[in-house]
Amino acid sequence: ENEQGEFKLLVAMKRLYAFYQAHDITDLADIEKDVSAIITKANQQQINDDITATAVMLMQVILSWALYRTNPSEPSKSELKKLRKSVVQLIQQCDELIQFGVAGVQKEAFITVCDMLIIFAPQLKQNQNYSSLIVVPDKSVQIRLRDYVMTTVFAEEEPAQFQDDEDEEAKTEVLIEKRRVLASFGKLIAFNIIEMRLAAPIFAQYVKSYQDYGDIVKQMMSKARELNRTKCMRTQLLSLEQLFEELRDQNEGRIDRSSEEWTKIKDLAHRFALMAGVDNYKSRQAVVTFHREGIIYCLLRNGPPDGSPPSNIVFFDILAETTFKLMDIDKKGPKGLLAFLEEQLMKEGEIPEDEIEWGPLRTYRTALVGSMSEPYMYYGTGKRKMMGSPMRVMEVKRPREDYVIDNWQASGSGNYVQ
């Protein structure tokens, strides 16, 4: 009898959901309190999973219609207050379901949270009357949403043996649902609702999961670049750093520079650089910031220099894959990357030129110098010559005005000389 009652409730809720998707039937069936009570009980594991998932979807359309019914020019303050309370409550309920619910319920709760955050995003401030409705997720909620994507979409799975067409169809259905989850998270990045840096582990999956999710991840990075080129490239740098550290930990602190895994990381770095766009002037500041922060990461130490190379020295191989996006003027000059690299190396003291462990540094420096279209020199106070680099001197010319850049976010203002 209990199962029959649950079945009737489920059928009724699905019918209501179908009607609510196309029409506002609140006047005929005001069920907001009832649906909210069902979700609350679901968090106490007292409700059927199918009913819970349907209740979550139904509550979303109910609140969407509630927003639609408000008067944009003179909304009722009591209605707005009630609506915001209901929205916050639904997001909190779904957040709990994401953490403790079963797979099917987790998915619908996740998608509902993403959709509600987009509907009640800061863009509502375009109408000042709706400012009180804006919902901004805190950092813990953002992290849980990102972690759900990583565990649901990109988790390692054992390859299944598909023996007939039905199994193939089931595999396709699973892939479609995973893409739906990833696309929902991508919208949060596109609308600048969550912190961009949290997407670094997802950006890192671009090459590895290219066949199934490459188009969505690429679009996500494209939208991130439209929001802020520098932040996007910083997030991509963080992705590469995370992959590098993961590979190093898997190999007990060592990196095999001839391994397939290392080659894939270098390929990812190259693809990231290509995504910066064809107009190098627009991406100039972002690319320079990428390299400056990458150099600092490569030479990072936990203690004072002891003669041995830093633990991240091999990461210079990754940076070398992206030097083709740099403009000549950003490599030379008193504020160029060559001078910046020399400044950072001053802290290391004397560096043996022939030791294999320092090879990645030489590779990176050669990539900088070798990709320049003209000889270089920089005008600074340093006395130490960069290792393995003959100083090529050229006639000093008057600085060209179009090579003077001010107010650099990463490096401060500076004058560049050609």
Side-chain angles (χ1 to χ4, degrees):
E1 182 178 353
N2 186 41
E3 291 181 358
Q4 187 177 4
E6 288 182 347
F7 177 75
K8 290 181 178 179
L9 176 60
L10 179 60
V11 171
M13 292 179 64
K14 286 187 175 180
R15 286 176 178 173
L16 287 169
Y17 178 67
F19 278 117
Y20 258 114
Q21 282 187 302
H23 305 283
D24 183 9
I25 59 174
T26 304
D27 294 337
L28 301 176
D30 190 0
I31 57 173
E32 179 180 336
K33 292 182 180 179
D34 299 325
V35 177
S36 181
I38 290 175
I39 299 174
T40 301
K41 288 186 177 181
N43 281 316
Q44 302 169 2
Q45 299 181 347
Q46 298 176 358
I47 299 294
N48 177 279
D49 295 335
D50 291 333
I51 293 177
T52 303
T54 306
V56 168
M57 295 187 295
L58 182 55
M59 194 65 181
Q60 177 192 337
V61 292
I62 289 174
L63 296 179
S64 299
W65 278 115
L67 175 62
Y68 180 80
R69 285 196 306 271
T70 59
N71 185 349
S73 57
E74 294 182 3
S76 169
K77 292 184 178 180
S78 60
E79 288 182 2
L80 294 182
K81 184 177 180 180
K82 178 184 175 182
L83 177 56
R84 176 179 170 78
K85 181 179 179 181
S86 299
V87 171
V88 172
Q89 182 182 15
L90 177 60
I91 292 176
Q92 291 174 345
Q93 291 172 332
C94 289
D95 186 33
E96 293 181 11
L97 290 173
I98 291 173
Q99 298 177 66
F100 308 112
V102 298
V105 175
Q106 283 181 324
K107 181 194 70 179
E108 294 302 336
F110 172 85
I111 293 174
T112 296
V113 170
C114 293
D115 289 344
M116 296 305 289
L117 290 176
I118 290 171
I119 294 172
F120 296 92
Q123 285 82 352
L124 278 178
K125 285 192 295 187
Q126 294 176 0
N127 185 336
Q128 292 297 325
N129 295 323
Y130 286 153
S131 297
S132 61
L133 291 178
I134 295 173
V135 178
V136 179
D138 60 34
K139 187 69 172 289
S140 60
V141 173
Q142 296 182 32
I143 293 175
R144 279 194 290 272
L145 292 175
R146 190 273 314 277
D147 290 345
Y148 177 78
V149 174
M150 294 302 300
T151 56
T152 303
V153 179
F154 299 110
E156 294 287 345
E157 297 180 356
E158 295 182 1
Q161 298 296 325
F162 296 97
Q163 300 177 352
D164 50 41
D165 293 339
E166 291 184 1
D167 289 335
E168 287 291 348
E169 290 179 4
K171 181 181 178 182
T172 303
E173 287 295 328
V174 170
L175 178 59
I176 290 173
E177 292 302 320
K178 288 183 176 182
R179 286 175 59 86
R180 183 182 172 206
V181 168
L182 181 59
S184 295
F185 184 84
K187 288 187 288 186
L188 298 180
I189 295 293
F191 283 91
N192 200 23
I193 295 172
I194 67 174
E195 187 177 343
M196 194 182 299
R197 285 177 62 85
L198 293 178
I202 297 176
F203 289 3
Q205 299 293 324
Y206 178 60
V207 171
K208 184 178 180 181
S209 305
Y210 185 83
Q211 182 175 353
D212 293 333
Y213 312 110
D215 57 330
I216 300 178
V217 178
K218 183 176 181 179
Q219 184 68 9
M220 196 184 304
M221 289 188 286
S222 176
K223 292 296 182 181
R225 187 175 66 250
E226 290 177 10
L227 291 172
N228 189 305
R229 291 175 181 270
T230 301
K231 280 187 178 180
C232 180
M233 292 212 70
R234 278 176 168 156
T235 303
Q236 291 172 334
L237 176 62
L238 180 59
S239 300
L240 297 170
E241 292 171 358
Q242 291 175 347
L243 288 174
F244 167 73
E245 292 174 4
E246 180 182 344
L247 180 61
R248 186 177 59 188
D249 293 341
Q250 291 175 355
N251 292 276
E252 300 179 350
R254 296 186 178 184
I255 295 289
D256 182 0
R257 297 169 68 190
S258 61
S259 66
E260 182 181 355
E261 293 79 6
W262 184 242
T263 302
K264 288 181 178 179
I265 299 177
K266 292 170 66 176
D267 179 42
L268 179 62
H270 190 83
R271 289 172 183 253
F272 281 167
L274 290 173
M275 289 179 190
V278 295
D279 191 339
N280 289 345
Y281 279 97
K282 289 184 178 179
S283 59
R284 184 177 179 183
Q285 179 177 346
V287 174
V288 170
T289 301
F290 178 94
H291 279 268
R292 281 177 169 266
E293 295 186 1
I295 290 172
I296 293 173
Y297 176 77
C298 290
L299 300 177
L300 192 64
R301 287 184 181 274
N302 294 326
D306 56 2
S308 62
S311 58
N312 298 336
I313 190 72
V314 186
F315 196 79
F316 272 118
D317 280 351
I318 302 296
L319 292 184
E321 292 292 323
T322 64
T323 54
F324 70 94
K325 293 298 294 183
L326 288 165
M327 301 178 68
D328 281 3
I329 195 59
D330 295 327
K331 301 171 189 175
K332 54 188 174 180
K335 295 290 185 180
L337 285 171
L338 284 167
F340 181 78
L341 178 61
E342 171 72 5
E343 178 184 342
Q344 298 300 312
L345 288 175
M346 287 289 186
K347 304 172 185 177
E348 293 291 328
E350 290 296 328
I351 298 175
E353 296 190 12
D354 300 328
E355 286 197 8
I356 298 177
E357 290 81 359
W358 290 93
L361 172 60
R362 290 192 290 271
T363 299
Y364 177 67
R365 191 206 148 276
T366 302
L368 285 178
V369 177
S371 59
M372 287 168 50
S373 59
E374 296 181 1
Y376 79 95
M377 68 175 293
Y378 77 91
Y379 308 94
T381 57
K383 299 293 185 181
R384 182 173 159 278
K385 182 180 73 173
M386 295 191 65
M387 63 177 187
S389 61
M391 189 61 111
R392 302 176 64 180
V393 182
M394 59 182 293
E395 181 182 356
V396 179
K397 299 179 181 179
R398 183 178 179 180
R400 285 169 46 181
E401 291 182 359
D402 58 333
Y403 278 167
V404 177
I405 302 178
D406 296 324
N407 299 324
W408 274 84
Q409 178 178 345
S411 60
S413 62
N415 297 328
Y416 294 77
V417 183
Q418 178 174 349

